[in-house]
Amino acid sequence: MASSSALSRLSNLRRHFDPSKSSDSNKGVGLMKVSPEVSEALSNGGPVVALESTIISHGMPYPKNLETAKEVEAIVRDKGAVPATIAILDGIPCVGLSVIELERLAKLGTHAQKTARRDIAHVVASRGNGATTVSATMLIASMVGISVFVTGGIGGVHRNGESTMDISSDLTELGRTPVAVISAGVKSILDIPRTLEYLETQGVCVAAYKTNEFPAFFTQTSGCKVPCRVDTTEECARLIDANMKLGLGTGILIAVPIPQEHEASGSLIESAIQRALKEARDKNITGNAETPFLLARVNELTGGASLSSNIALVKNNALVGAEIAVALSHLRE
């Protein structure tokens, strides 16, 4: 069962934003809205899986994005957990979206602001609509007590990052927010070795599921070894539980390789990435616009193969992440 302090926090979370009820002790929870389904699961210590919303708004076109979002949530439910898609709608951070809210976000597409940690206050203050990235989703999930978060792939150190200093805030968030992120590794458009070095510097435990090698998003292998291997969802749950009980204050990255039957050709993907990178440089596309551009361009250059792989790996991550959340809930009983 949830602690009395958790129950008190959840009581606060059920309110929409009321400035008169907001205080420092609430740490932002008075600004949020938690769906009844998610609120009940958290109150009872049940398994909950956080899901990001940038993949819905910026990852694929409508209606494919809505269809995929519904399918991912269904996979989580089928495994016995409650999905909590996170987004900011009309300035209110929402944890757990209704079907109507999901459809609204899917139709908004890129008109919803891509929202990382740094953008949350602005989107809330301007009563805007924000699709949360990994960093923002982690932060909001942690605020309401969700320990497991499923995504496709995290951001990282961009290629040529040693000169541009273009490093995703996902990495620093993992270094300071105690949420376990289940992903297919780092997007292969990025510099994977440098990303792993940066995560080590941040003190983040990086584990690979049923393999000794860090996956490369579209492909199962990257050539980089991991310091930690976990072979069952129960092992993952014990790792998360130990991290929380020790109060380490850092996140955990659990990298799940894309299923072999959905793996894209490594050489095809890399060729497309190199061409897309050159086009991005020629067009001076930088910052948070670069990753959506690169992913979209790689999808075009591979004839849709990369998008198919992306959807497949997200669904697989949802399956594994839900099983981990269920195992963690049982462990904490």
Side-chain angles (χ1 to χ4, degrees):
M1 295 291 290
S3 67
S4 59
S5 62
L7 291 172
S8 175
R9 184 170 67 222
L10 285 164
S11 177
N12 289 329
L13 286 168
R14 292 190 182 101
R15 298 196 307 267
H16 281 268
F17 174 44
D18 181 344
S20 67
K21 297 176 182 177
S22 180
S23 69
D24 290 342
S25 62
N26 284 338
K27 295 184 179 179
V29 295
L31 291 164
M32 299 185 193
K33 184 183 75 171
V34 179
S35 75
E37 182 186 23
V38 173
S39 180
E40 181 179 4
L42 290 173
S43 295
N44 295 327
V48 180
V49 175
L51 300 167
E52 62 151 299
S53 48
T54 295
I55 192 171
I56 301 172
S57 62
H58 291 68
M60 57 194 78
Y62 181 84
K64 188 65 178 177
N65 54 357
L66 178 62
E67 176 188 324
T68 301
K70 287 180 177 178
E71 289 172 349
V72 168
E73 287 201 348
I75 289 168
V76 172
R77 285 196 176 92
D78 287 346
K79 286 296 178 179
V82 173
T85 299
I86 293 175
I88 302 175
L89 296 174
D90 300 320
I92 300 172
C94 301
V95 183
L97 301 184
S98 66
V99 174
I100 293 173
E101 289 169 331
L102 269 180
E103 184 166 8
R104 179 185 173 193
L105 186 66
K107 287 182 176 178
L108 276 171
T110 55
H111 292 292
Q113 180 172 339
K114 185 180 177 184
T115 305
R117 170 192 267 260
R118 70 167 188 182
D119 309 301
I120 294 173
H122 169 66
V123 176
V124 170
S126 62
R127 303 188 186 279
N129 298 306
T132 54
T133 65
V134 169
S135 65
T137 306
M138 281 187 72
L139 178 60
I140 294 171
S142 178
M143 283 180 170
V144 301
I146 299 175
S147 300
V148 178
F149 162 39
V150 164
T151 185
I154 67 165
V157 179
H158 281 252
R159 300 192 189 199
N160 303 311
E162 68 276 14
S163 57
T164 65
M165 293 300 292
D166 192 348
I167 300 170
S168 171
S169 62
D170 296 354
L171 305 187
T172 48
E173 201 63 46
L174 275 160
R176 61 182 172 184
T177 301
V179 169
V181 180
I182 318 302
S183 81
V186 179
K187 296 180 179 74
S188 50
I189 57 176
L190 306 171
D191 187 325
I192 295 176
R194 282 192 172 93
T195 296
L196 292 174
E197 289 287 351
Y198 196 90
L199 286 170
E200 180 186 359
T201 301
Q202 292 291 314
V204 177
C205 175
V206 177
Y209 187 63
K210 296 184 178 181
T211 180
N212 294 312
E213 187 165 338
F214 193 76
F217 197 63
F218 294 123
T219 58
Q220 292 189 336
T221 58
S222 66
C224 300
K225 300 298 181 183
V226 292
C228 174
R229 172 175 173 152
V230 281
D231 286 302
T232 67
T233 52
E234 288 74 21
E235 283 183 37
C236 295
R238 288 196 295 271
L239 178 63
I240 297 166
D241 190 53
N243 186 66
M244 298 293 287
K245 286 180 177 176
L246 288 166
L248 297 178
T250 54
I252 296 173
L253 177 60
I254 299 176
V256 181
I258 183 173
Q260 188 172 7
E261 63 270 24
H262 297 294
E263 187 176 26
S265 164
S267 58
L268 173 66
I269 292 291
E270 183 58 30
S271 174
I273 288 171
Q274 290 299 333
R275 182 171 168 184
L277 284 167
K278 183 179 184 304
E279 291 178 9
R281 287 194 299 271
D282 291 344
K283 295 179 180 179
N284 197 30
I285 298 173
T286 59
N288 65 4
E290 184 175 22
T291 296
F293 169 81
L294 292 174
L295 289 175
R297 191 70 184 108
V298 168
N299 182 53
E300 291 172 3
L301 294 170
T302 59
S306 67
L307 179 59
S308 298
S309 295
N310 195 349
I311 292 172
L313 65 83
V314 170
K315 291 179 179 179
N316 185 60
N317 292 347
L319 187 152
V320 175
E323 290 181 348
I324 292 172
V326 169
L328 183 61
S329 177
H330 290 162
L331 182 65
R332 288 174 171 173
E333 287 178 353

